Amino acid sequence: MHPLKLVETAPGKYSLLLNAGSTEADEVIEELGHEPNGYFWEGIARLVVQDEAPALAGRFGYDPEGGMFCAYGTDRAALEELGARMGALASDPERTRELVTAAEEAGFEFDD
């Protein structure tokens, strides 16, 4: 899950957090013309759910900011799975490059 972290914000309520600009993939993201901010990582999360883990759809919400990605909800297992999948991307610049390139070729627009 690293560099993401899962915190319990209240009993039974969780937030999955990523400090934007703190990943091994940041340089590649910038090379591809994007800002590695919270909004960009929301796009990555949506792609992961859409393409790799559709069973996660609707099980949490998103609340990114410029400096932070945040997904939140009461389904800890869903957030843990998203965190594991996103952590793998955040620590693998080439996999991130492949995902972003394929998404853009398919017409996906990142909101960064």
Side-chain angles (χ1 to χ4, degrees):
M1 182 177 301
H2 178 77
L4 291 95
K5 63 182 177 178
L6 185 65
V7 296
E8 188 170 18
T9 57
K13 295 183 180 180
Y14 304 92
S15 291
L16 178 66
L17 306 171
L18 172 67
N19 288 325
S22 67
T23 75
E24 294 175 41
D26 289 347
E27 188 174 312
V28 164
I29 293 165
E30 290 173 348
E31 285 174 15
L32 294 170
H34 296 282
E35 180 71 30
N37 60 29
Y39 303 106
F40 173 84
W41 284 104
E42 178 187 0
I44 292 292
R46 290 183 182 278
L47 283 169
V48 165
V49 170
Q50 173 187 299
D51 296 342
E52 298 178 11
L56 295 178
R59 294 173 61 187
F60 45 78
Y62 300 102
D63 188 21
E65 298 176 5
M68 179 183 66
F69 165 79
C70 176
Y72 65 92
T74 58
D75 190 335
R76 182 183 179 107
L79 290 167
E80 286 175 340
E81 182 176 346
L82 178 64
R85 291 175 180 276
M86 288 184 65
L89 285 162
S91 61
D92 187 343
E94 287 312 306
R95 185 165 173 229
T96 299
R97 179 190 306 277
E98 292 168 6
L99 177 67
V100 171
T101 300
E104 290 178 332
E105 289 172 356
F108 186 88
E109 292 187 27
F110 289 91
D111 182 21
D112 57 314

